[in-house]
Amino acid sequence: MSGIAEHRFSGTPVSLFVKASYDANFDQSYEVVTVAGGLRVFFDGNALSLQEHDRQVPFEYWLPAFANNLGL
Amino acid sequence: MYKLVAASILVVLPLSANAADLSDSFVFVEESITPPAPYVVGHLELSAGWWHREQEEFAGTVTEDRLLLEGYGRVNLPFAGNWNLELDTGVTYGFRDSPQDDQVHAGGVAHLWAGLGDVRLGAFGGGYYLWNASDVSLWVAGGEAEVDIGNNLTVGFQGSYSDPDGCGSCEFVYLTGWMDFYPMPNTKLGLQGGWYDFINFDISALEF
């Protein structure tokens, strides 16, 4: 599972976020933990809130963490 | 803004003895009308972090730490009424002890989706390439949905099928769901959980 906290600075094209994730298989013989921080730069004329922007660009696809091990 | 202007007029009018005095009495209120958002909107996302893995193998538990850099870009192109095409692409770079062992995956998917009031329904497809000890290309296709519940909450679901080349029969399905809570329009608290299963391997795993 993963979690994120993000805040967009009002009237600017920038937000900052921190996120963390934990991935494991059933018997926990494989576990991955990630912690990261970053920023988003929005191209919406500063006319949208973070929530409005997320509704207009709603979908993301992230490779699952275990995909890093494919082929190893 | 109109309410503010009207309120100013209502306050000023009683102070004016006659029409001639009105021009001296009005308070000029600067209008700050927010321009509409552009037709096409998008964002760049950059992050840096730490990646830690523990895996039990025959020789014992393998522990690995990496610096992780990610860069993603997404842009949405509305067309034909409620229909939209969202392009979603990026790269993740994991630094290992030896540069030749660094793990990189890069690629992108296209999301074709329709907005139906508070609901967004879509399908997506695309590909990723993974550079690691044994390079793997991976095709993915799936469906997705998101719904707004009230003013502050959005929940979503995504299911996909992936067919990697270069790692034998390691096709997998991946189901994930998320909840984004907006206590304020510019603040988000999000949670996501997922489950995957290799179709041809006797391996299944749960992301807690």
Side-chain angles (χ1 to χ4, degrees), chain A residues 1-2 4 6-8 23-24 29 33 35 39 41 43 51 54 59 61 68, chain B residues 42 44 50 52 56 86 88 103 151 182 186-188 190 192 206-208:
Chain A
M1 72 177 289
S2 63
I4 185 170
E6 181 174 13
H7 180 74
R8 179 173 183 174
D23 298 272
S29 60
V33 176
V35 179
L39 61 86
V41 180
F43 304 103
Q51 185 180 28
D54 285 349
F59 294 113
Y61 176 76
N68 285 306
Chain B
L44 283 177
W50 167 75
H52 174 80
E56 292 178 12
E86 183 192 325
D88 173 10
Q103 281 196 330
N151 294 324
Y182 298 86
N186 278 318
T187 301
K188 174 170 74 175
Q192 185 167 7
L206 179 69
E207 294 188 5
F208 297 93

PDB file of all heavy atoms in Angstrom, chain A residues 1-2 4 6-8 23-24 29 33 35 39 41 43 51 54 59 61 68, chain B residues 42 44 50 52 56 86 88 103 151 182 186-188 190 192 206-208:
ATOM      1  N   MET A   1       0.833  -1.175   0.000  1.00  0.00           N
ATOM      2  CA  MET A   1       0.000   0.000   0.000  1.00  0.00           C
ATOM      3  C   MET A   1       0.874   1.233   0.000  1.00  0.00           C
ATOM      4  O   MET A   1       2.076   1.156   0.282  1.00  0.00           O
ATOM      5  CB  MET A   1      -0.940   0.002   1.207  1.00  0.00           C
ATOM      6  CG  MET A   1      -0.287   0.270   2.539  1.00  0.00           C
ATOM      7  SD  MET A   1      -1.477   0.343   3.872  1.00  0.00           S
ATOM      8  CE  MET A   1      -2.295   1.890   3.528  1.00  0.00           C
ATOM      9  N   SER A   2       0.288   2.363  -0.335  1.00  0.00           N
ATOM     10  CA  SER A   2       1.067   3.597  -0.382  1.00  0.00           C
ATOM     11  C   SER A   2       0.212   4.753   0.116  1.00  0.00           C
ATOM     12  O   SER A   2      -1.019   4.671   0.140  1.00  0.00           O
ATOM     13  CB  SER A   2       1.558   3.875  -1.802  1.00  0.00           C
ATOM     14  OG  SER A   2       0.459   4.069  -2.670  1.00  0.00           O
ATOM     15  N   ILE A   4       0.176   9.313   0.287  1.00  0.00           N
ATOM     16  CA  ILE A   4       0.765  10.557  -0.195  1.00  0.00           C
ATOM     17  C   ILE A   4       0.083  11.728   0.493  1.00  0.00           C
ATOM     18  O   ILE A   4      -1.123  11.678   0.789  1.00  0.00           O
ATOM     19  CB  ILE A   4       0.627  10.666  -1.732  1.00  0.00           C
ATOM     20  CG1 ILE A   4       1.361  11.915  -2.244  1.00  0.00           C
ATOM     21  CG2 ILE A   4      -0.822  10.675  -2.162  1.00  0.00           C
ATOM     22  CD1 ILE A   4       1.484  11.976  -3.756  1.00  0.00           C
ATOM     23  N   GLU A   6      -0.008  15.914  -0.219  1.00  0.00           N
ATOM     24  CA  GLU A   6       0.422  16.897  -1.221  1.00  0.00           C
ATOM     25  C   GLU A   6      -0.281  18.213  -0.981  1.00  0.00           C
ATOM     26  O   GLU A   6      -1.461  18.246  -0.616  1.00  0.00           O
ATOM     27  CB  GLU A   6       0.101  16.377  -2.633  1.00  0.00           C
ATOM     28  CG  GLU A   6       0.538  17.315  -3.745  1.00  0.00           C
ATOM     29  CD  GLU A   6       0.344  16.714  -5.133  1.00  0.00           C
ATOM     30  OE1 GLU A   6      -0.346  15.677  -5.237  1.00  0.00           O
ATOM     31  OE2 GLU A   6       0.891  17.278  -6.100  1.00  0.00           O
ATOM     32  N   HIS A   7       0.453  19.300  -1.195  1.00  0.00           N
ATOM     33  CA  HIS A   7      -0.149  20.633  -1.068  1.00  0.00           C
ATOM     34  C   HIS A   7       0.303  21.500  -2.230  1.00  0.00           C
ATOM     35  O   HIS A   7       1.492  21.597  -2.516  1.00  0.00           O
ATOM     36  CB  HIS A   7       0.246  21.304   0.258  1.00  0.00           C
ATOM     37  CG  HIS A   7      -0.343  22.670   0.419  1.00  0.00           C
ATOM     38  ND1 HIS A   7      -1.677  22.876   0.714  1.00  0.00           N
ATOM     39  CD2 HIS A   7       0.201  23.898   0.283  1.00  0.00           C
ATOM     40  CE1 HIS A   7      -1.914  24.177   0.779  1.00  0.00           C
ATOM     41  NE2 HIS A   7      -0.781  24.822   0.515  1.00  0.00           N
ATOM     42  N   ARG A   8      -0.683  22.103  -2.891  1.00  0.00           N
ATOM     43  CA  ARG A   8      -0.382  23.062  -3.963  1.00  0.00           C
ATOM     44  C   ARG A   8      -0.461  24.466  -3.384  1.00  0.00           C
ATOM     45  O   ARG A   8      -1.420  24.808  -2.683  1.00  0.00           O
ATOM     46  CB  ARG A   8      -1.367  22.923  -5.120  1.00  0.00           C
ATOM     47  CG  ARG A   8      -1.111  23.920  -6.243  1.00  0.00           C
ATOM     48  CD  ARG A   8      -1.968  23.683  -7.461  1.00  0.00           C
ATOM     49  NE  ARG A   8      -1.625  24.619  -8.523  1.00  0.00           N
ATOM     50  CZ  ARG A   8      -2.121  24.581  -9.750  1.00  0.00           C
ATOM     51  NH1 ARG A   8      -2.989  23.644 -10.078  1.00  0.00           N
ATOM     52  NH2 ARG A   8      -1.757  25.463 -10.665  1.00  0.00           N
ATOM     53  N   ASP A  23       5.392  -2.740   0.037  1.00  0.00           N
ATOM     54  CA  ASP A  23       4.928  -3.838  -0.811  1.00  0.00           C
ATOM     55  C   ASP A  23       5.511  -5.135  -0.279  1.00  0.00           C
ATOM     56  O   ASP A  23       6.683  -5.194   0.079  1.00  0.00           O
ATOM     57  CB  ASP A  23       5.402  -3.637  -2.256  1.00  0.00           C
ATOM     58  CG  ASP A  23       4.851  -2.367  -2.862  1.00  0.00           C
ATOM     59  OD1 ASP A  23       3.759  -2.421  -3.431  1.00  0.00           O
ATOM     60  OD2 ASP A  23       5.514  -1.322  -2.742  1.00  0.00           O
ATOM     61  N   ALA A  24       4.686  -6.168  -0.266  1.00  0.00           N
ATOM     62  CA  ALA A  24       5.157  -7.471   0.207  1.00  0.00           C
ATOM     63  C   ALA A  24       4.298  -8.565  -0.399  1.00  0.00           C
ATOM     64  O   ALA A  24       3.162  -8.321  -0.808  1.00  0.00           O
ATOM     65  CB  ALA A  24       5.092  -7.546   1.730  1.00  0.00           C
ATOM     66  N   SER A  29       8.270 -12.866   2.304  1.00  0.00           N
ATOM     67  CA  SER A  29       9.629 -13.223   1.923  1.00  0.00           C
ATOM     68  C   SER A  29      10.206 -12.177   0.978  1.00  0.00           C
ATOM     69  O   SER A  29      11.387 -12.203   0.654  1.00  0.00           O
ATOM     70  CB  SER A  29       9.649 -14.599   1.258  1.00  0.00           C
ATOM     71  OG  SER A  29       8.837 -14.581   0.096  1.00  0.00           O
ATOM     72  N   VAL A  33      10.208  -1.178   0.713  1.00  0.00           N
ATOM     73  CA  VAL A  33       9.749   0.064   1.334  1.00  0.00           C
ATOM     74  C   VAL A  33      10.342   1.236   0.552  1.00  0.00           C
ATOM     75  O   VAL A  33      11.541   1.212   0.233  1.00  0.00           O
ATOM     76  CB  VAL A  33      10.194   0.156   2.813  1.00  0.00           C
ATOM     77  CG1 VAL A  33       9.795   1.502   3.411  1.00  0.00           C
ATOM     78  CG2 VAL A  33       9.593  -0.978   3.628  1.00  0.00           C
ATOM     79  N   VAL A  35      10.385   5.646   0.377  1.00  0.00           N
ATOM     80  CA  VAL A  35      10.012   6.953   0.920  1.00  0.00           C
ATOM     81  C   VAL A  35      10.558   7.990  -0.055  1.00  0.00           C
ATOM     82  O   VAL A  35      11.732   7.902  -0.457  1.00  0.00           O
ATOM     83  CB  VAL A  35      10.608   7.194   2.321  1.00  0.00           C
ATOM     84  CG1 VAL A  35      10.216   8.573   2.837  1.00  0.00           C
ATOM     85  CG2 VAL A  35      10.147   6.120   3.296  1.00  0.00           C
ATOM     86  N   LEU A  39       8.042  17.327  -6.193  1.00  0.00           N
ATOM     87  CA  LEU A  39       7.197  18.465  -6.561  1.00  0.00           C
ATOM     88  C   LEU A  39       6.484  18.166  -7.868  1.00  0.00           C
ATOM     89  O   LEU A  39       6.930  17.337  -8.662  1.00  0.00           O
ATOM     90  CB  LEU A  39       8.011  19.754  -6.668  1.00  0.00           C
ATOM     91  CG  LEU A  39       9.145  19.827  -7.687  1.00  0.00           C
ATOM     92  CD1 LEU A  39       8.660  20.257  -9.060  1.00  0.00           C
ATOM     93  CD2 LEU A  39      10.203  20.828  -7.212  1.00  0.00           C
ATOM     94  N   VAL A  41       4.832  20.418 -11.114  1.00  0.00           N
ATOM     95  CA  VAL A  41       4.688  21.708 -11.796  1.00  0.00           C
ATOM     96  C   VAL A  41       3.491  21.594 -12.725  1.00  0.00           C
ATOM     97  O   VAL A  41       3.466  20.730 -13.612  1.00  0.00           O
ATOM     98  CB  VAL A  41       5.961  22.065 -12.580  1.00  0.00           C
ATOM     99  CG1 VAL A  41       5.781  23.414 -13.276  1.00  0.00           C
ATOM    100  CG2 VAL A  41       7.173  22.097 -11.653  1.00  0.00           C
ATOM    101  N   PHE A  43       0.630  22.775 -15.483  1.00  0.00           N
ATOM    102  CA  PHE A  43       0.412  23.605 -16.664  1.00  0.00           C
ATOM    103  C   PHE A  43      -1.098  23.756 -16.841  1.00  0.00           C
ATOM    104  O   PHE A  43      -1.731  23.018 -17.602  1.00  0.00           O
ATOM    105  CB  PHE A  43       1.063  22.956 -17.887  1.00  0.00           C
ATOM    106  CG  PHE A  43       2.528  22.688 -17.695  1.00  0.00           C
ATOM    107  CD1 PHE A  43       2.989  21.415 -17.422  1.00  0.00           C
ATOM    108  CD2 PHE A  43       3.440  23.729 -17.745  1.00  0.00           C
ATOM    109  CE1 PHE A  43       4.340  21.168 -17.210  1.00  0.00           C
ATOM    110  CE2 PHE A  43       4.792  23.495 -17.534  1.00  0.00           C
ATOM    111  CZ  PHE A  43       5.245  22.217 -17.268  1.00  0.00           C
ATOM    112  N   GLN A  51      -7.311  19.885  -6.447  1.00  0.00           N
ATOM    113  CA  GLN A  51      -8.427  18.954  -6.619  1.00  0.00           C
ATOM    114  C   GLN A  51      -9.011  19.041  -8.028  1.00  0.00           C
ATOM    115  O   GLN A  51      -9.278  18.015  -8.670  1.00  0.00           O
ATOM    116  CB  GLN A  51      -9.510  19.250  -5.587  1.00  0.00           C
ATOM    117  CG  GLN A  51     -10.672  18.284  -5.594  1.00  0.00           C
ATOM    118  CD  GLN A  51     -11.711  18.627  -4.534  1.00  0.00           C
ATOM    119  OE1 GLN A  51     -11.862  19.787  -4.167  1.00  0.00           O
ATOM    120  NE2 GLN A  51     -12.404  17.631  -4.037  1.00  0.00           N
ATOM    121  N   ASP A  54      -6.595  17.467 -10.494  1.00  0.00           N
ATOM    122  CA  ASP A  54      -6.611  15.999 -10.436  1.00  0.00           C
ATOM    123  C   ASP A  54      -7.850  15.419 -11.101  1.00  0.00           C
ATOM    124  O   ASP A  54      -7.832  14.280 -11.573  1.00  0.00           O
ATOM    125  CB  ASP A  54      -6.541  15.531  -8.977  1.00  0.00           C
ATOM    126  CG  ASP A  54      -5.146  15.679  -8.394  1.00  0.00           C
ATOM    127  OD1 ASP A  54      -4.199  15.938  -9.170  1.00  0.00           O
ATOM    128  OD2 ASP A  54      -4.989  15.528  -7.164  1.00  0.00           O
ATOM    129  N   PHE A  59      -5.961  10.066 -14.210  1.00  0.00           N
ATOM    130  CA  PHE A  59      -5.448   8.698 -14.115  1.00  0.00           C
ATOM    131  C   PHE A  59      -3.920   8.639 -14.178  1.00  0.00           C
ATOM    132  O   PHE A  59      -3.277   9.445 -14.865  1.00  0.00           O
ATOM    133  CB  PHE A  59      -6.053   7.832 -15.214  1.00  0.00           C
ATOM    134  CG  PHE A  59      -7.530   7.641 -15.058  1.00  0.00           C
ATOM    135  CD1 PHE A  59      -8.417   8.187 -15.973  1.00  0.00           C
ATOM    136  CD2 PHE A  59      -8.045   6.941 -13.975  1.00  0.00           C
ATOM    137  CE1 PHE A  59      -9.778   8.027 -15.821  1.00  0.00           C
ATOM    138  CE2 PHE A  59      -9.405   6.779 -13.807  1.00  0.00           C
ATOM    139  CZ  PHE A  59     -10.281   7.323 -14.734  1.00  0.00           C
ATOM    140  N   TYR A  61      -0.695   5.484 -14.183  1.00  0.00           N
ATOM    141  CA  TYR A  61      -0.307   4.076 -14.114  1.00  0.00           C
ATOM    142  C   TYR A  61       1.108   3.998 -13.564  1.00  0.00           C
ATOM    143  O   TYR A  61       2.015   4.641 -14.081  1.00  0.00           O
ATOM    144  CB  TYR A  61      -0.363   3.385 -15.480  1.00  0.00           C
ATOM    145  CG  TYR A  61       0.142   1.961 -15.403  1.00  0.00           C
ATOM    146  CD1 TYR A  61      -0.648   0.961 -14.843  1.00  0.00           C
ATOM    147  CD2 TYR A  61       1.423   1.622 -15.833  1.00  0.00           C
ATOM    148  CE1 TYR A  61      -0.183  -0.335 -14.719  1.00  0.00           C
ATOM    149  CE2 TYR A  61       1.899   0.324 -15.716  1.00  0.00           C
ATOM    150  CZ  TYR A  61       1.092  -0.643 -15.156  1.00  0.00           C
ATOM    151  OH  TYR A  61       1.553  -1.922 -15.021  1.00  0.00           O
ATOM    152  N   ASN A  68      10.229  -4.433 -10.799  1.00  0.00           N
ATOM    153  CA  ASN A  68      11.669  -4.165 -10.853  1.00  0.00           C
ATOM    154  C   ASN A  68      12.480  -5.453 -10.837  1.00  0.00           C
ATOM    155  O   ASN A  68      13.641  -5.456 -11.235  1.00  0.00           O
ATOM    156  CB  ASN A  68      12.091  -3.281  -9.678  1.00  0.00           C
ATOM    157  CG  ASN A  68      11.663  -1.850  -9.878  1.00  0.00           C
ATOM    158  OD1 ASN A  68      11.963  -1.247 -10.889  1.00  0.00           O
ATOM    159  ND2 ASN A  68      10.925  -1.323  -8.921  1.00  0.00           N
TER     160      ASN A  68
ATOM    161  N   GLY B  42      -1.902  19.842 -17.877  1.00  0.00           N
ATOM    162  CA  GLY B  42      -1.007  18.735 -17.546  1.00  0.00           C
ATOM    163  C   GLY B  42      -0.061  19.121 -16.438  1.00  0.00           C
ATOM    164  O   GLY B  42      -0.186  20.188 -15.826  1.00  0.00           O
ATOM    165  N   LEU B  44       4.183  18.179 -14.703  1.00  0.00           N
ATOM    166  CA  LEU B  44       5.423  17.417 -14.566  1.00  0.00           C
ATOM    167  C   LEU B  44       5.580  17.051 -13.103  1.00  0.00           C
ATOM    168  O   LEU B  44       5.279  17.871 -12.224  1.00  0.00           O
ATOM    169  CB  LEU B  44       6.637  18.250 -15.007  1.00  0.00           C
ATOM    170  CG  LEU B  44       6.875  18.425 -16.493  1.00  0.00           C
ATOM    171  CD1 LEU B  44       8.067  19.342 -16.720  1.00  0.00           C
ATOM    172  CD2 LEU B  44       7.117  17.070 -17.153  1.00  0.00           C
ATOM    173  N   TRP B  50      14.199   7.037  -1.352  1.00  0.00           N
ATOM    174  CA  TRP B  50      14.990   5.889  -0.905  1.00  0.00           C
ATOM    175  C   TRP B  50      14.158   4.639  -1.104  1.00  0.00           C
ATOM    176  O   TRP B  50      12.951   4.628  -0.844  1.00  0.00           O
ATOM    177  CB  TRP B  50      15.347   6.107   0.567  1.00  0.00           C
ATOM    178  CG  TRP B  50      15.895   4.921   1.292  1.00  0.00           C
ATOM    179  CD1 TRP B  50      17.148   4.395   1.180  1.00  0.00           C
ATOM    180  CD2 TRP B  50      15.219   4.137   2.280  1.00  0.00           C
ATOM    181  NE1 TRP B  50      17.287   3.328   2.021  1.00  0.00           N
ATOM    182  CE2 TRP B  50      16.118   3.143   2.717  1.00  0.00           C
ATOM    183  CE3 TRP B  50      13.944   4.178   2.842  1.00  0.00           C
ATOM    184  CZ2 TRP B  50      15.779   2.202   3.676  1.00  0.00           C
ATOM    185  CZ3 TRP B  50      13.600   3.239   3.791  1.00  0.00           C
ATOM    186  CH2 TRP B  50      14.521   2.267   4.207  1.00  0.00           C
ATOM    187  N   HIS B  52      14.142   0.435  -0.403  1.00  0.00           N
ATOM    188  CA  HIS B  52      14.747  -0.611   0.434  1.00  0.00           C
ATOM    189  C   HIS B  52      14.051  -1.936   0.148  1.00  0.00           C
ATOM    190  O   HIS B  52      12.825  -2.021   0.158  1.00  0.00           O
ATOM    191  CB  HIS B  52      14.596  -0.248   1.918  1.00  0.00           C
ATOM    192  CG  HIS B  52      15.065  -1.332   2.843  1.00  0.00           C
ATOM    193  ND1 HIS B  52      16.395  -1.527   3.130  1.00  0.00           N
ATOM    194  CD2 HIS B  52      14.373  -2.275   3.522  1.00  0.00           C
ATOM    195  CE1 HIS B  52      16.503  -2.569   3.963  1.00  0.00           C
ATOM    196  NE2 HIS B  52      15.297  -3.039   4.216  1.00  0.00           N
ATOM    197  N   GLU B  56      14.028 -13.003   0.833  1.00  0.00           N
ATOM    198  CA  GLU B  56      14.592 -14.281   1.278  1.00  0.00           C
ATOM    199  C   GLU B  56      14.973 -15.124   0.074  1.00  0.00           C
ATOM    200  O   GLU B  56      14.145 -15.357  -0.817  1.00  0.00           O
ATOM    201  CB  GLU B  56      13.577 -15.022   2.156  1.00  0.00           C
ATOM    202  CG  GLU B  56      13.332 -14.343   3.486  1.00  0.00           C
ATOM    203  CD  GLU B  56      12.280 -15.070   4.315  1.00  0.00           C
ATOM    204  OE1 GLU B  56      11.929 -16.209   3.947  1.00  0.00           O
ATOM    205  OE2 GLU B  56      11.799 -14.488   5.296  1.00  0.00           O
ATOM    206  N   GLU B  86      -5.660  11.056 -22.197  1.00  0.00           N
ATOM    207  CA  GLU B  86      -4.599  11.473 -21.268  1.00  0.00           C
ATOM    208  C   GLU B  86      -3.334  10.682 -21.568  1.00  0.00           C
ATOM    209  O   GLU B  86      -3.355   9.446 -21.580  1.00  0.00           O
ATOM    210  CB  GLU B  86      -5.032  11.238 -19.823  1.00  0.00           C
ATOM    211  CG  GLU B  86      -3.986  11.717 -18.818  1.00  0.00           C
ATOM    212  CD  GLU B  86      -4.273  11.234 -17.398  1.00  0.00           C
ATOM    213  OE1 GLU B  86      -5.447  11.139 -17.011  1.00  0.00           O
ATOM    214  OE2 GLU B  86      -3.283  10.937 -16.694  1.00  0.00           O
ATOM    215  N   ASP B  88       0.412   9.656 -20.386  1.00  0.00           N
ATOM    216  CA  ASP B  88       0.993   9.465 -19.049  1.00  0.00           C
ATOM    217  C   ASP B  88       2.329   8.736 -19.246  1.00  0.00           C
ATOM    218  O   ASP B  88       2.351   7.552 -19.574  1.00  0.00           O
ATOM    219  CB  ASP B  88      -0.020   8.618 -18.248  1.00  0.00           C
ATOM    220  CG  ASP B  88       0.481   8.166 -16.891  1.00  0.00           C
ATOM    221  OD1 ASP B  88       1.540   8.633 -16.453  1.00  0.00           O
ATOM    222  OD2 ASP B  88      -0.216   7.331 -16.271  1.00  0.00           O
ATOM    223  N   GLN B 103      18.987   0.083 -12.135  1.00  0.00           N
ATOM    224  CA  GLN B 103      17.702  -0.345 -12.684  1.00  0.00           C
ATOM    225  C   GLN B 103      16.924   0.867 -13.161  1.00  0.00           C
ATOM    226  O   GLN B 103      16.727   1.822 -12.418  1.00  0.00           O
ATOM    227  CB  GLN B 103      16.895  -1.086 -11.634  1.00  0.00           C
ATOM    228  CG  GLN B 103      17.328  -2.526 -11.446  1.00  0.00           C
ATOM    229  CD  GLN B 103      16.299  -3.337 -10.697  1.00  0.00           C
ATOM    230  OE1 GLN B 103      15.572  -2.797  -9.881  1.00  0.00           O
ATOM    231  NE2 GLN B 103      16.234  -4.623 -10.969  1.00  0.00           N
ATOM    232  N   ASN B 151     -17.869  16.587  -1.674  1.00  0.00           N
ATOM    233  CA  ASN B 151     -16.968  17.630  -2.157  1.00  0.00           C
ATOM    234  C   ASN B 151     -15.501  17.319  -1.903  1.00  0.00           C
ATOM    235  O   ASN B 151     -14.626  17.965  -2.486  1.00  0.00           O
ATOM    236  CB  ASN B 151     -17.300  18.969  -1.480  1.00  0.00           C
ATOM    237  CG  ASN B 151     -18.660  19.486  -1.890  1.00  0.00           C
ATOM    238  OD1 ASN B 151     -19.072  19.319  -3.041  1.00  0.00           O
ATOM    239  ND2 ASN B 151     -19.367  20.097  -0.950  1.00  0.00           N
ATOM    240  N   TYR B 182      -9.498  15.456   0.093  1.00  0.00           N
ATOM    241  CA  TYR B 182      -9.069  16.853  -0.038  1.00  0.00           C
ATOM    242  C   TYR B 182      -9.694  17.664   1.095  1.00  0.00           C
ATOM    243  O   TYR B 182     -10.825  18.146   0.966  1.00  0.00           O
ATOM    244  CB  TYR B 182      -9.511  17.424  -1.385  1.00  0.00           C
ATOM    245  CG  TYR B 182      -8.906  16.724  -2.578  1.00  0.00           C
ATOM    246  CD1 TYR B 182      -9.501  15.587  -3.120  1.00  0.00           C
ATOM    247  CD2 TYR B 182      -7.742  17.195  -3.172  1.00  0.00           C
ATOM    248  CE1 TYR B 182      -8.947  14.934  -4.209  1.00  0.00           C
ATOM    249  CE2 TYR B 182      -7.181  16.552  -4.261  1.00  0.00           C
ATOM    250  CZ  TYR B 182      -7.794  15.427  -4.770  1.00  0.00           C
ATOM    251  OH  TYR B 182      -7.236  14.784  -5.844  1.00  0.00           O
ATOM    252  N   ASN B 186      -6.612  22.636  -2.200  1.00  0.00           N
ATOM    253  CA  ASN B 186      -5.209  22.535  -2.597  1.00  0.00           C
ATOM    254  C   ASN B 186      -4.409  21.558  -1.751  1.00  0.00           C
ATOM    255  O   ASN B 186      -3.167  21.564  -1.799  1.00  0.00           O
ATOM    256  CB  ASN B 186      -4.542  23.919  -2.544  1.00  0.00           C
ATOM    257  CG  ASN B 186      -4.822  24.722  -3.801  1.00  0.00           C
ATOM    258  OD1 ASN B 186      -4.777  24.186  -4.906  1.00  0.00           O
ATOM    259  ND2 ASN B 186      -5.138  25.994  -3.636  1.00  0.00           N
ATOM    260  N   THR B 187      -5.076  20.749  -0.955  1.00  0.00           N
ATOM    261  CA  THR B 187      -4.370  19.782  -0.106  1.00  0.00           C
ATOM    262  C   THR B 187      -4.973  18.402  -0.309  1.00  0.00           C
ATOM    263  O   THR B 187      -6.196  18.241  -0.273  1.00  0.00           O
ATOM    264  CB  THR B 187      -4.485  20.192   1.377  1.00  0.00           C
ATOM    265  OG1 THR B 187      -3.921  21.497   1.530  1.00  0.00           O
ATOM    266  CG2 THR B 187      -3.733  19.222   2.271  1.00  0.00           C
ATOM    267  N   LYS B 188      -4.098  17.423  -0.514  1.00  0.00           N
ATOM    268  CA  LYS B 188      -4.572  16.049  -0.757  1.00  0.00           C
ATOM    269  C   LYS B 188      -3.885  15.087   0.192  1.00  0.00           C
ATOM    270  O   LYS B 188      -2.683  15.151   0.414  1.00  0.00           O
ATOM    271  CB  LYS B 188      -4.256  15.647  -2.201  1.00  0.00           C
ATOM    272  CG  LYS B 188      -4.583  14.189  -2.513  1.00  0.00           C
ATOM    273  CD  LYS B 188      -4.487  13.869  -3.988  1.00  0.00           C
ATOM    274  CE  LYS B 188      -3.064  13.795  -4.483  1.00  0.00           C
ATOM    275  NZ  LYS B 188      -2.990  13.369  -5.898  1.00  0.00           N
ATOM    276  N   GLY B 190      -3.765  10.985   0.273  1.00  0.00           N
ATOM    277  CA  GLY B 190      -4.174   9.842  -0.535  1.00  0.00           C
ATOM    278  C   GLY B 190      -3.678   8.521   0.009  1.00  0.00           C
ATOM    279  O   GLY B 190      -2.590   8.449   0.598  1.00  0.00           O
ATOM    280  N   GLN B 192      -3.494   4.226  -1.215  1.00  0.00           N
ATOM    281  CA  GLN B 192      -3.672   3.301  -2.327  1.00  0.00           C
ATOM    282  C   GLN B 192      -3.265   1.898  -1.895  1.00  0.00           C
ATOM    283  O   GLN B 192      -2.302   1.726  -1.149  1.00  0.00           O
ATOM    284  CB  GLN B 192      -2.814   3.755  -3.515  1.00  0.00           C
ATOM    285  CG  GLN B 192      -3.017   2.922  -4.765  1.00  0.00           C
ATOM    286  CD  GLN B 192      -2.402   3.561  -6.000  1.00  0.00           C
ATOM    287  OE1 GLN B 192      -1.713   4.564  -5.906  1.00  0.00           O
ATOM    288  NE2 GLN B 192      -2.663   3.003  -7.158  1.00  0.00           N
ATOM    289  N   LEU B 206       0.188 -10.093  -2.176  1.00  0.00           N
ATOM    290  CA  LEU B 206      -0.714  -9.027  -1.751  1.00  0.00           C
ATOM    291  C   LEU B 206       0.115  -7.844  -1.310  1.00  0.00           C
ATOM    292  O   LEU B 206       1.082  -7.988  -0.587  1.00  0.00           O
ATOM    293  CB  LEU B 206      -1.578  -9.495  -0.589  1.00  0.00           C
ATOM    294  CG  LEU B 206      -2.556  -8.479  -0.013  1.00  0.00           C
ATOM    295  CD1 LEU B 206      -3.661  -8.189  -1.003  1.00  0.00           C
ATOM    296  CD2 LEU B 206      -3.131  -8.985   1.287  1.00  0.00           C
ATOM    297  N   GLU B 207      -0.279  -6.667  -1.740  1.00  0.00           N
ATOM    298  CA  GLU B 207       0.346  -5.447  -1.230  1.00  0.00           C
ATOM    299  C   GLU B 207      -0.493  -4.962  -0.074  1.00  0.00           C
ATOM    300  O   GLU B 207      -1.657  -4.667  -0.221  1.00  0.00           O
ATOM    301  CB  GLU B 207       0.410  -4.386  -2.320  1.00  0.00           C
ATOM    302  CG  GLU B 207       1.331  -4.785  -3.429  1.00  0.00           C
ATOM    303  CD  GLU B 207       1.555  -3.664  -4.399  1.00  0.00           C
ATOM    304  OE1 GLU B 207       1.058  -2.558  -4.132  1.00  0.00           O
ATOM    305  OE2 GLU B 207       2.228  -3.889  -5.401  1.00  0.00           O
ATOM    306  N   PHE B 208       0.101  -4.913   1.079  1.00  0.00           N
ATOM    307  CA  PHE B 208      -0.671  -4.584   2.264  1.00  0.00           C
ATOM    308  C   PHE B 208      -0.975  -3.099   2.327  1.00  0.00           C
ATOM    309  O   PHE B 208      -0.230  -2.292   1.848  1.00  0.00           O
ATOM    310  CB  PHE B 208       0.116  -5.010   3.503  1.00  0.00           C
ATOM    311  CG  PHE B 208       0.333  -6.500   3.565  1.00  0.00           C
ATOM    312  CD1 PHE B 208       1.480  -7.078   3.057  1.00  0.00           C
ATOM    313  CD2 PHE B 208      -0.635  -7.330   4.088  1.00  0.00           C
ATOM    314  CE1 PHE B 208       1.678  -8.439   3.111  1.00  0.00           C
ATOM    315  CE2 PHE B 208      -0.449  -8.691   4.128  1.00  0.00           C
ATOM    316  CZ  PHE B 208       0.723  -9.254   3.629  1.00  0.00           C
TER     317      PHE B 208
END
